Amino acid sequence: MVKQRRMNELPDELVLKILSMIPPFKESVATRLISNQHEDPYKLVPDVTFEDNNEESLVTFMSFVYGSLLSDDDQTLQRLHLKLVRNYSASKINFWVQAAVNRSVRKLRFDLSRKTLKLPGCLSSCTTLKSLILHEVSIKVVPLGFSLPSLKSLHVFSVYFSRTESISSILRGCPVLEYLVLHETCYYYPEDVCLSLLKSLHLLSAWSLPCTSLTRLLQSCPVLEYLVVSQTERDYSIPIMFSVIPPESCLLSIKSLHLSSVQFLGDEYVAKLLKRCLALEDLAISRTRYYDKVRLYNISVPTLKRLTINNTREKHTNNDYKENHGFWINAPALKTLNIKDTVSNFLMLEFMPEVTKANIEVTCDQSEKFIGSLTSVQHLSLCSRTSETPYRSGSVFPYLEHVELCTCSAGWANLLASILSDSPRLHSLTLKSNHSVPYNDTMNFWNEPAVVPECLLMHLEIFEWRQYEDTVQQGKVAEYILANATCLKMATFSTRYRDKDHGMLMEIKKLNRVSEACQLVFE
């Protein structure tokens, strides 16, 4: 019986000739690899990137191919990234991918600068590939029977399909897919494709033709839990994503929904979409563009636990000041609330007794129900640029322990006095200035509480003041807290001055501290 000889047992001259024939080997690269074979035995690397306009990348990539041919090491290749700007034949790309498949590749990425990719047939037999990224690729034909039997994650960025193909041609062969991202890609979705295990779907500047394709796509995902839909300004020339609201049967399993600058035809379309998400627990709405027809977001979701709103779009017409536009929120099971709204003139919160953490930055006047509806809040970060106290007099926050208050409004000091009086268990207090202060800081704004609040006498241990400027009002507030917080352990003042002997810092040091354990810190 004739014993087979491994390639690394052949004479160097013969190995050099063989390697020089492998695309895109250069003789200089092959020679360099041959010399390294004796100096430092080659070890396969777990992550390989090939950029064909980078000499070092070429050497690394060819080392991978060389190692795959010579080594009997069974080390798994974690990732292969082909970033190509030149034209290569389908056989060359297939050869490189086959080398990765032989090494049980787990992740594969193609960046082809919009050039055509013929999907390598060897992938259909690869049972180790879990993640595939296609970026700036043109696909004219999907081979008959093409499949990715073990693929769980698929990212499709700026991929062009011919008229006879679509992303569905690939998805048909992904029986265990769980995570799908479509970015700047048009998709047509027929009824015969089923993604029975898909849990997460991201449609980022993606569009469908016809508009019913979105409904078909959602219908094919019976266990979908996470849906992200995002549009940009340049997307507004394409068909509106939710011109047809999918039926309730398509949305039953969705627990998390993120909508970023998504166009709707009117208020009722938003309300209808949310009403049909019967299991929704996490909702994020971002409005950074004006071009939609929604005036009032009616968020009435009894199952909702987390809500994030970012409404920072630019104002467009004077109608913004004439008509109510904003958010009406009715979510009795909500636990976490995050709102940044610099545009709305209307914001209403219904009773939400389960909220324990709230981050709120708003510019419009709020009703007395606004903060008062958060009766169980424990962590509160508040920036309210109105001078009014956003809750009813006599309200108590028995569980509130941590407060961050922005000092950007004219009435911030009185709001602080109210919060101190109405939060008996307050443990830590942070004052900060996230915005320029558009008012004259006068003594008239600080109404010292008639009775020292219970939280100062029994609970407050941490006090921090960021962007402290030592104005008259700030000095009076700091003096009051230090003089009455009997349990205070640390008081931190962040200023723009680094000199410890600066007059401002010396004035703070002179303030009376009723707590002997209080440590004064300057940053």
Side-chain angles (χ1 to χ4, degrees), residues 21-38:
M21 297 173 64
I22 299 176
F25 257 121
K26 297 178 181 179
E27 185 170 341
S28 60
V29 175
T31 303
R32 179 174 168 182
L33 295 174
I34 287 293
S35 63
N36 288 342
Q37 176 185 355
H38 302 293

Side-chain angles (χ1 to χ4, degrees), residues 283-299:
L283 174 63
I285 296 176
S286 177
R287 302 178 77 191
T288 56
R289 296 289 185 271
Y290 180 83
Y291 305 100
D292 67 57
K293 299 180 181 180
V294 180
R295 306 299 298 175
L296 185 64
Y297 276 75
N298 186 347
I299 302 174

Side-chain angles (χ1 to χ4, degrees), residues 382-399:
L382 178 62
C383 176
S384 177
R385 301 185 201 179
T386 176
S387 297
E388 303 298 325
T389 299
Y391 62 88
R392 186 179 290 107
S393 176
S395 299
V396 178
F397 302 96
Y399 306 105

Side-chain angles (χ1 to χ4, degrees), residues 5-10 15 19 33 37 40-45 62-76 99 102-103:
R5 300 185 64 184
R6 301 191 73 260
M7 189 172 176
N8 58 358
E9 297 174 353
L10 299 176
V15 173
L19 293 179
L33 295 174
Q37 176 185 355
D40 184 16
Y42 185 80
K43 292 183 179 180
L44 289 175
V45 293
M62 288 301 111
S63 298
F64 155 70
V65 176
Y66 168 70
S68 296
L69 293 173
L70 298 187
S71 175
D72 57 0
D73 187 1
D74 59 355
Q75 179 182 348
T76 296
N102 292 343
R103 287 291 166 187

